[in-house]
Amino acid sequence: MRTYLVTGGAGFIGSNYIHYMFRKYDNEIRIINVDVLTYAGNLENLKDIENRENYTFVRADITDKEAIAKIFAENEIDRVVHFAAESHVDRSIKNPEVFVKTNVLGTAVMLNCAKAAWELPDGSFKEGKKFLHVSTDEVYGSLEDDGTYFYETTPYAPHSPYSASKASSDMLVKAYIDTYHFPANITNCSNNYGPYQFPEKLIPLIINNALHGKKLPVYGDGKNVRDWLYVDDHAKAIDMVQENGRLGETYNVGGHNEKQNIEIINIIIDTLLEMLPADDPRRALVSKDLITYVEDRKGHDRRYAIAPDKIKAEIGWEPETMFKEGIKKTIAWYFEHEDWMKNVTSGDYQKYYEDMYQNR
Ligand code: NAD
Ligand code: DAU
């Protein structure tokens, strides 16, 4: 049975990936989820799988070498899937240091511990071991509204402290590949949306604010473009790259779904009004009058757009969930999980670890 070490599995994409993997492989794999549970880590995201015999949660910081080395020493890890990171651009503008610590140093610790556990005396690596580093399209910088795309060969040009820290972490992975022939891949993905996304990010923030009649903040002119991908499609891409990608290669992952922020906000409002039952009191709160233009994000990248040609040609992956369908599924999930949102916005979700794990 293959054993996965997933970092950051209590966050948005990591928890969706764990669900995806158990749906796909069921009892054929074992997953160890290591997460320090920052504000972005929420074990409620995993409550329906937490009692599986083939799942283990370890609360640890990826910058803590002893803790990470111990996991490798106690388990024969076959796959590392490295999600753990500080992920929010606005937070990185206010407090860059933690981004450098977690994203750069944390990745160095993960690489070093995996290398130490997997390396043979002759400098080669144990058969079949693989490390996948989950990265972002933001490392490529910003595009104009001119129909160009980010390719794997596009030079790195990060602008925010977040993207600079992710670019540094990618460079470290590339350095391990080049120097040691370390068995790794990098995926650079566009903006994800879907269940369990923390409501600091555009889509869940707009859904939640609209349902509560709160202002919908639009940075700048609202015409910045992002390329949105449903999170399950990202999970599938990660698995396909890890199993079928060429070792040492980078693969761009994107939704072929470019939209201006203001378009996204209008689609969310229209979809909420379409989906809310006629007698639901929240209908009266949801309105385009809530849209409020606010000061722009500092250094705001204008446009991201991924060309997922390589992953399609080499591995056969392409996005499956059209935005119209994905946004409906996402809104339906937030309707069905009002308590999740309440616990997140009240801070109660942070008690889940104490209740479920500390007291065992
Ligand atoms: P997230 O912020 O929702 O989750 C991050 C997780 O990492 C949390 O569970 C947090 O507790 C954990 N974590 C943070 N610091 C840690 C540390 N020092 N030690 C252990 N765990 C720690 O992030 P996300 O949106 O799920 O993104 C996951 C990964 O995917 C990140 O590497 C991000 O750069 C990348 N990515 C995100 C997107 C996106 O649209 N969200 C797109 C492309 C790539
Ligand atoms: O492109 C991939 C990246 O996507 C990931 O690497 C990051 O981890 C993830 O956070 C995301 O970064 P963005 O900055 O693109 O996502 P965010 O949801 O913060 O913002 C999306 C766009 O919406 C961006 O142009 C800023 C704008 N925005 C955002 C917020 C929170 C607003 O106009 N108003 C808002 O309130």
Side-chain angles (χ1 to χ4, degrees), residues 10 67 143 147 199 208 239 251:
L143 296 166
N208 190 43
D239 182 42
Y251 294 89

Side-chain angles (χ1 to χ4, degrees), residues 8 10-14 34-42 60-63 82-87 102 134-136 162 166 189-192 197 201 234:
F12 162 50
I13 306 176
V34 56
D35 196 304
V36 77
L37 302 181
T38 66
Y39 79 93
N42 183 351
D61 191 321
I62 54 163
T63 65
H82 177 37
F83 294 96
E86 288 292 336
S87 71
T102 296
V134 181
S135 192
T136 169
Y162 162 69
K166 290 296 291 186
C189 187
S190 62
N191 287 61
N192 285 214
Q197 189 166 28
K201 307 280 165 60
H234 188 189

Side-chain angles (χ1 to χ4, degrees), residues 110-156:
M110 290 308 303
L111 288 165
N112 230 21
C113 289
K115 176 175 172 289
W118 293 347
E119 199 170 26
L120 295 167
D122 67 357
S124 67
F125 290 91
K126 289 184 192 168
E127 188 66 30
K129 305 294 186 187
K130 294 182 184 185
F131 186 112
L132 190 137
H133 177 62
V134 181
S135 192
T136 169
D137 59 359
E138 300 201 10
V139 297
Y140 297 121
S142 182
L143 296 166
E144 298 300 321
D145 294 318
D146 59 1
T148 53
Y149 291 96
F150 294 139
Y151 290 88
E152 288 79 359
T153 48
T154 302
Y156 275 28

